[in-house]
Amino acid sequence: MSLIHASAPPGWAVALAALALWTNTLIIAAEALIRRRWIGTHRWAPRWDGQFGGEAVVAGIVREGAPLARHTVEQRGRLRARKTEIAWHDRSHRSEIAGGIVDTRFGPVRVPPGPGEAWPSSTAQHRVAEHVEPVPAGGRDPADRARRAKGILRQVDVRWVPGDSVYLMGRLQALDDGSWTLAPLSSGPMVLSSEDPAAWARRCRRELVAFATAVVGACALLTAGVAWPPAFGLRSSLFGALGLAFFLLIQPAGVWMRARTIEPAYRNLGGTTRVASRQDPDGDAVTPGSSLH
């Protein structure tokens, strides 16, 4: 008997491993499809044609509102081991709709103050974060405070002010003066976004379907490879090793896909800030947030 056959696991162990692999894969694929359906139900609306009210997406320019809306990310920063940069970690995400008027090509839309989601672009968040100072604390140097266990705090605010482009998503209702008003979606909040929410929803839904299809297809291919005769031969063993790697990576892949399709209001910002080294002969301090990646 060959060494491969002598050390081959029993059939029940192989069946149990295949069951665990397929169970994990189908759970991850199902979560992706459930996420796709949720986006289509709660965070999607068609582009508005301007003729009738209802749930829709429309682009415009902010006319009134100081600001119309604001999105805030509160972050905690701690000095990394190399002592040359502060790493920022998101603590909370908050949206505030203050209300105002947005001019669209179909007429003005009045946005009432109230609950809703503000979706900033990633570019705007990074641009603002480059100039954000940490929350003051007794005049101490930010780098010194970041060395402590509790670190330092900062807030990254993105605001929509008059002149800014914005997309509105919600339920549009006509008013007597010929203007429109925005209300929350029937199954979700009203959304003010820097980017087209309908395009975001379409992209996420496509990627979620592709992801679910890919993981199930990969699992099927690996299973077929393991079952390829001769049992526990070189090819079968190679596919078995690939199956183990796939089993270990499928959950991190699911987490990555969830983060990729999260609403922009809750997208992770993170980032780092370079700080002046104590051995820097020039002693040039760098403004916190000046090198966010």
Side-chain angles (χ1 to χ4, degrees):
M1 182 179 293
S2 68
L3 179 61
I4 292 179
H5 284 78
S7 60
W12 64 265
V14 175
L16 188 61
L19 177 62
L21 177 64
W22 271 102
T23 300
N24 209 26
T25 299
L26 292 177
I27 288 175
I28 297 298
E31 288 178 348
L33 295 178
I34 290 171
R35 173 69 179 164
R36 176 186 182 275
R37 181 178 180 182
W38 185 90
I39 290 175
T41 302
H42 301 282
R43 295 296 186 278
W44 181 85
R47 294 298 297 268
W48 190 36
D49 59 10
Q51 297 182 2
F52 304 99
E55 298 186 351
V57 173
V58 62
I61 303 295
V62 179
R63 185 208 301 176
E64 294 182 12
L68 175 72
R70 180 173 70 175
H71 179 269
T72 302
V73 179
E74 185 178 272
Q75 296 185 305
R76 185 182 298 279
R78 294 185 177 90
L79 201 66
R80 284 184 171 175
R82 290 179 293 175
K83 310 295 185 183
T84 60
E85 60 185 18
I86 298 172
W88 298 99
H89 306 280
D90 296 8
R91 298 184 67 214
S92 65
H93 302 79
R94 185 172 66 254
S95 297
E96 299 178 18
I97 310 297
I101 299 177
V102 175
D103 288 323
T104 73
R105 65 191 184 100
F106 304 114
V109 176
R110 300 182 183 276
V111 179
E117 289 183 356
W119 293 5
S121 68
S122 179
T123 301
Q125 283 185 301
H126 284 71
R127 184 173 60 250
V128 171
E130 290 179 354
H131 305 287
V132 172
E133 295 281 356
V135 177
R140 298 184 57 194
D141 181 70
D144 290 336
R145 289 157 48 202
R147 289 185 176 89
R148 293 179 173 269
K150 67 178 182 179
I152 57 176
L153 298 177
R154 75 172 184 178
Q155 291 186 344
V156 179
D157 288 332
V158 176
R159 306 183 180 195
W160 286 260
V161 298
D164 288 347
S165 298
V166 66
Y167 286 88
L168 306 177
M169 182 169 69
R171 191 171 68 255
L172 291 157
Q173 301 171 330
L175 299 177
D176 294 338
D177 60 1
S179 63
W180 300 80
T181 186
L182 187 71
L185 296 167
S186 59
S187 58
M190 62 179 174
V191 173
L192 281 72
S193 175
S194 295
E195 300 173 348
D196 187 352
W200 170 85
R202 286 194 298 270
R203 175 189 64 80
C204 291
R205 285 162 61 85
R206 285 196 305 266
E207 292 183 358
L208 287 164
V209 169
F211 176 79
T213 303
V215 296
V216 172
C219 188
L221 179 62
L222 291 170
T223 303
V226 170
W228 195 278
F232 306 113
L234 179 60
R235 182 180 302 175
S236 177
S237 299
L238 177 60
F239 274 96
L242 293 175
L244 176 61
F246 181 81
F247 177 80
L248 296 175
L249 293 174
I250 185 65
Q251 284 193 342
V255 173
W256 170 82
M257 195 63 202
R258 180 67 173 83
R260 181 172 172 80
T261 58
I262 194 71
E263 302 93 293
Y266 308 105
R267 179 174 49 212
N268 184 68
L269 178 58
T272 59
T273 299
R274 293 195 62 81
V275 297
S277 172
R278 292 182 180 275
Q279 286 74 34
D280 184 357
D282 297 326
D284 293 333
V286 181
T287 302
S290 60
S291 62
L292 191 75
H293 305 302

